[in-house]
Amino acid sequence: MRLIKMIIITSFFFTVFHLSGQEVDYNKKNNEVRIDGVYSFKIIKHGCGFEPDCYFDIYDKDEVKVLKIVYKSFKSPVEISQSNPEGIVRYSQFIFLETEKIAEIGAVWMKEKKIAAYIAKNSLFKNGKLDEATVHEFVLMKATPYSDRIKF
């Protein structure tokens, strides 16, 4: 029975991801991201190892830096639990440089391929440039729920 459930779940996820139609390829040698075979943007990783800072610069097809994704964290007494005794909250902050708009998500990835897939899934780029309408909607939907909770 457990095997059957696993097969059904795997088939479901394969179908969902296959039907999405977007193939996202990240080339580690030149940092380029291709969506369905078309060059869309470039990701440059900074830190994310032993350094305290971890962020990614995103460039459009004209090599203009348009987005910075910064990993942040803070301690919250509300989040203290047996599995999180220090109450650490980690999140990613998307800073759209031209408009100075900010959005935050609860996911934290250290791999460029995961970031590329998330950007593609949310259709933030169109024809190698940020899609301003999609960015506007993304910022409205995601808002800044994490930095709004930080007490100074």
Side-chain angles (χ1 to χ4, degrees), residues 33-139:
V33 175
R34 295 184 175 277
I35 300 173
D36 294 331
V38 178
Y39 172 59
S40 295
F41 56 93
K42 186 179 279 191
I43 299 176
I44 307 291
K45 181 180 187 177
H46 302 276
C48 305
F50 294 108
E51 303 86 6
D53 296 327
C54 179
Y55 63 94
F56 297 82
D57 288 327
I58 313 298
Y59 296 82
D60 66 13
K61 70 177 182 177
D62 295 328
E63 302 291 325
V64 175
K65 187 180 355 178
V66 293
L67 172 62
K68 185 177 287 278
I69 301 172
V70 182
Y71 294 144
K72 296 190 169 197
S73 65
F74 63 93
K75 291 184 180 183
S76 171
V78 176
E79 300 295 328
I80 293 174
S81 67
Q82 189 172 4
S83 63
N84 187 4
E86 294 185 41
I88 296 175
V89 177
R90 293 180 178 86
Y91 63 99
S92 298
Q93 188 175 64
F94 285 62
I95 304 167
F96 297 93
L97 300 174
E98 186 175 322
T99 61
E100 298 181 5
K101 293 180 179 178
I102 296 175
E104 297 170 347
I105 62 170
V108 175
W109 303 289
M110 299 297 176
K111 299 287 183 189
E112 294 90 333
K113 186 168 178 86
K114 296 275 189 183
I115 292 170
Y118 186 82
I119 290 171
K121 176 183 160 198
N122 285 279
S123 305
L124 296 178
F125 277 81
K126 185 175 185 180
N127 300 321
K129 296 281 193 182
L130 275 178
D131 182 348
E132 291 305 321
T134 305
V135 166
H136 180 73
E137 183 178 340
F138 181 81
V139 170

Side-chain angles (χ1 to χ4, degrees), residues 6-21:
M6 184 63 112
I7 291 171
I8 291 171
I9 290 170
T10 304
S11 298
F12 171 76
F13 282 115
F14 176 75
T15 303
V16 169
F17 289 119
H18 183 69
L19 292 177
S20 70

